[in-house]
Amino acid sequence: MSVQQQDLIIAGRRQAACSGAVFDVLAPEDERLMAQVARADSADVDLAVAAARKGYSAWSALAPKEREAALLRAADLVATQGEARLLDTLIDESGSAITKARFEISYTVDLLRTAAGEARRLYGDTFPNDNPQRLSMVFREPMGVVAIISPYNAPLSLLTKMTAFPLAAGNSVVIKPSEETPLTALALGEILVEAGIPAAAINVVTGFGADCGAPLTAHADIDCIALTGSTATGTVVGAQSMQRMRRCQLELGGKSALLVLRDADPVASANIAAQGIFTHAGQICMANSRILVERPIYEEFIAALKQAAEAIHLGDLRDERTQYGPLINRAAVTKVMGHIEQAVTEGATVLTGAEIERGLVIRPTVLLEPDRSSAVWREESFGPVASVVAVENLDEAIAVANDSDYGLSAAVLTHNIQWGFRAARGIRSGSVHIGMHAFQSNALAPIGGVGLSGIGRSGGKYSTEEFTELKWVSVSLEDDGS
Ligand code: NAD
């Protein structure tokens, strides 16, 4: 297979990096060289931000119905051409199984359509004034140029969510995708330009965190930062944004808990739990990597979870039966295997897995009763590893779920409505799902977390709120303005 060469997108047009530098993109499945992509640095960031500033004037001046129409055209392009233009890139670049890649494409269509609707919903407000001769109102306005920094795990749908809603609100964007998955981002950028969004409003700078992401977040002429990524990066970017008092939306890591209560069916619960942790090899921020099971069904549950994990198909990425493929790179494999080995050294039992299947593919792994201070229990492994512990009752399950620095998502499996809602109210987390696993998506939902999982929410009207400013405007009805 030939090695592609890909340039940046500045003001909608392809151009090489100012320095002429490129970097390699490897396909995780076999670590072959897929592409060489322009490696942007601060000079390219300057060009992209300057273009985006011009693009902001053009795009924000359009009527809401014109912004809506452009985003709907983008949705139609993805719906009709996504298989041809995006599917192979997604599979090869991010190591996605075909079912996951197809899900990303269809969810991208939903996100673009939902965002298109938001273009018409930039509602303001009015409020009473004690002086009857004065009117007070609130204008909702776009923020300007939004810097968007995205991760590798869902390179199409996450980036779309991060981009489409700010655009709907009238902002322009400079996108800095993960260095692992620039090709998907460039393909999306082309689709947005083709859909008729003013070219200058769409800019994609490909490169690394240190020499492309950092100058972007530090740039004097951006108005807002949206980062989806690790908590380590979020800490740096968040601190940077405060240097200039810029709004910063951070969607970061997770260590989601799944509670399996005593009335739940152990076999059905094990299947749900397996899906919630092993989808895309656990490279999902909301993956339920901590599973808390009430003692009366613990033995039956773990027997069923072992069976579910061992039944997972790890074949060719283009085989519909394949549930997941490789981790993104060798460093990720080393980290995940390190977490497993450390947990075992510290007393955890391996129920299944803990081995490499091939290349960067790790078998579905279930650890029992890891030490509650071990990395696998406390830190995000971002791999196909679930830890299971027994708990005595619901109160203990809620307490254990809350004993985490993270708070992105959680789930509870029970048929008892009171127990389900007690868990939903008691767990400190951005979302809690009853009767499902913890990895859920919905274009209208407020996705985000508490604690080290981040700040802010994205999706539907919640994104509109994040990516707009409020302005109080008042008027005197008296001629002398008193
Ligand atoms: P990462 O933090 O390594 O990288 C994310 C992005 O930040 C990349 O584009 C990277 O180049 C950039 N970056 C790195 N250092 C930077 C710096 N100093 N300044 C500016 N940009 C910088 O994350 P990743 O490994 O690509 O993605 C996996 C992580 O993302 C996991 O922690 C996962 O939980 C998280 N994630 C969170 C959500 C959510 O909705 N909360 C969704 C998906 C992924």
Side-chain angles (χ1 to χ4, degrees):
M1 198 182 278
S2 64
V3 174
Q4 307 174 40
Q5 307 291 321
Q6 293 251 6
D7 286 337
L8 316 171
I9 300 180
I10 308 276
R13 277 188 297 279
R14 291 304 192 114
Q15 64 184 63
C18 296
S19 67
V22 296
F23 65 100
D24 293 344
V25 178
L26 305 183
E29 177 59 28
D30 51 10
E31 297 177 87
R32 74 176 188 281
L33 179 63
M34 267 184 83
Q36 290 191 309
V37 177
R39 180 172 178 159
D41 61 22
S42 59
D44 305 292
V45 167
D46 286 347
L47 294 177
V49 174
R53 179 59 57 195
K54 286 194 190 134
Y56 172 62
S57 305
W59 177 238
S60 60
L62 290 183
K65 69 176 181 182
E66 292 172 295
R67 292 204 298 274
E68 177 194 50
L71 288 162
L72 287 175
R73 280 195 296 274
D76 288 346
L77 282 171
V78 176
T80 55
Q81 300 177 17
E83 285 267 327
R85 293 175 66 171
L86 296 161
L87 189 69
D88 280 328
T89 305
L90 264 173
I91 293 172
D92 292 333
E93 182 181 47
S94 61
S96 299
I98 192 165
T99 46
K100 183 263 192 186
R102 287 210 168 108
F103 168 76
E104 278 209 60
I105 292 173
S106 68
Y107 188 39
T108 292
V109 175
D110 289 347
L111 286 160
L112 286 163
R113 290 189 177 142
T114 307
E118 282 302 307
R120 289 183 187 256
R121 297 197 186 96
L122 300 191
Y123 293 116
D125 209 351
T126 61
F127 57 93
N129 198 309
D130 281 338
N131 179 341
Q133 294 309 315
R134 289 193 178 181
L135 300 180
S136 278
M137 63 205 93
V138 180
F139 289 3
R140 182 177 290 283
E141 299 178 337
M143 303 191 76
V145 178
V146 180
I148 291 172
I149 303 177
S150 61
Y152 64 78
N153 59 329
L156 178 66
S157 55
L158 262 176
L159 179 57
T160 302
K161 179 155 72 102
M162 297 178 76
T163 304
F165 290 102
L167 283 172
N171 301 286
S172 63
V173 298
V174 178
I175 294 167
K176 205 305 272 172
S178 167
E179 55 274 28
E180 302 289 349
T181 52
L183 303 175
T184 306
L186 290 164
L188 176 67
E190 283 192 338
I191 287 172
L192 294 173
V193 174
E194 221 173 291
I197 296 169
I202 305 292
N203 300 275
V204 184
V205 284
T206 49
F208 290 79
D211 47 46
C212 179
L216 178 59
T217 55
H219 202 286
D221 203 26
I222 61 163
D223 301 293
C224 176
I225 301 169
L227 166 79
T228 303
S230 63
T231 296
T233 304
T235 310
V236 174
V237 170
Q240 176 68 57
S241 72
M242 285 303 104
Q243 300 287 320
R244 289 181 177 272
M245 295 301 156
R246 283 194 283 230
R247 184 100 58 87
C248 185
Q249 193 221 0
L250 302 171
E251 293 196 22
L252 309 177
K255 198 71 211 174
S256 299
L258 172 70
L259 281 53
V260 186
L261 304 190
R262 62 187 65 217
D263 67 318
D265 176 70
V267 176
S269 300
N271 288 329
I272 293 171
Q275 218 191 339
I277 177 64
F278 297 127
T279 297
H280 197 43
Q283 298 172 111
I284 300 283
C285 51
M286 299 176 196
N288 42 241
S289 52
R290 296 184 301 147
I291 303 177
L292 288 40
V293 187
E294 276 201 86
R295 182 96 49 202
I297 61 164
Y298 181 79
E299 293 300 332
E300 271 185 277
F301 174 84
I302 59 170
L305 184 59
K306 181 173 189 312
Q307 220 175 355
E310 290 173 359
I312 283 178
H313 192 76
L314 301 176
D316 188 281
L317 293 177
R318 286 173 171 78
D319 182 336
E320 301 277 345
R321 292 168 303 165
T322 295
Q323 280 165 278
Y324 73 76
L327 295 192
I328 193 70
N329 55 32
R330 229 154 244 287
V333 173
T334 304
K335 176 183 172 186
V336 173
M337 292 307 286
H339 276 192
I340 295 170
E341 281 153 25
Q342 188 202 348
V344 172
T345 309
E346 291 170 358
T349 304
V350 176
L351 180 69
T352 186
E355 288 171 345
I356 305 278
E357 167 77 9
R358 65 173 188 271
L360 307 184
V361 182
I362 299 178
R363 285 199 189 144
T365 300
V366 180
L367 301 175
L368 303 179
E369 302 294 342
D371 190 280
R372 306 273 174 96
S373 64
S374 62
V376 85
W377 185 258
R378 303 215 74 85
E379 295 170 23
E380 188 179 47
S381 306
F382 224 53
V385 187
S387 299
V388 186
V389 300
V391 290
E392 302 304 328
N393 53 46
L394 175 57
D395 287 341
E396 186 191 346
I398 293 172
V400 174
N402 284 341
D403 181 20
S404 171
D405 293 332
Y406 295 98
L408 187 58
S409 186
V412 53
L413 299 179
T414 179
H415 298 292
N416 182 308
I417 194 165
Q418 279 86 14
W419 294 349
F421 275 100
R422 272 174 58 198
R425 207 161 64 168
I427 295 175
R428 191 173 159 270
S429 172
S431 58
V432 180
H433 304 285
I434 304 168
M436 301 172 247
H437 53 68
F439 162 40
Q440 303 295 332
S441 41
N442 181 326
L444 290 169
I447 305 283
V450 300
L452 294 188
S453 292
I455 296 174
R457 296 290 180 271
S458 71
K461 70 173 186 174
Y462 308 101
S463 283
T464 304
E465 286 164 11
E466 291 282 338
F467 296 106
T468 51
E469 276 298 3
L470 298 180
K471 184 188 280 175
W472 174 30
V473 176
S474 59
V475 59
S476 167
L477 300 179
E478 286 171 326
D479 290 340
D480 63 2
S482 59

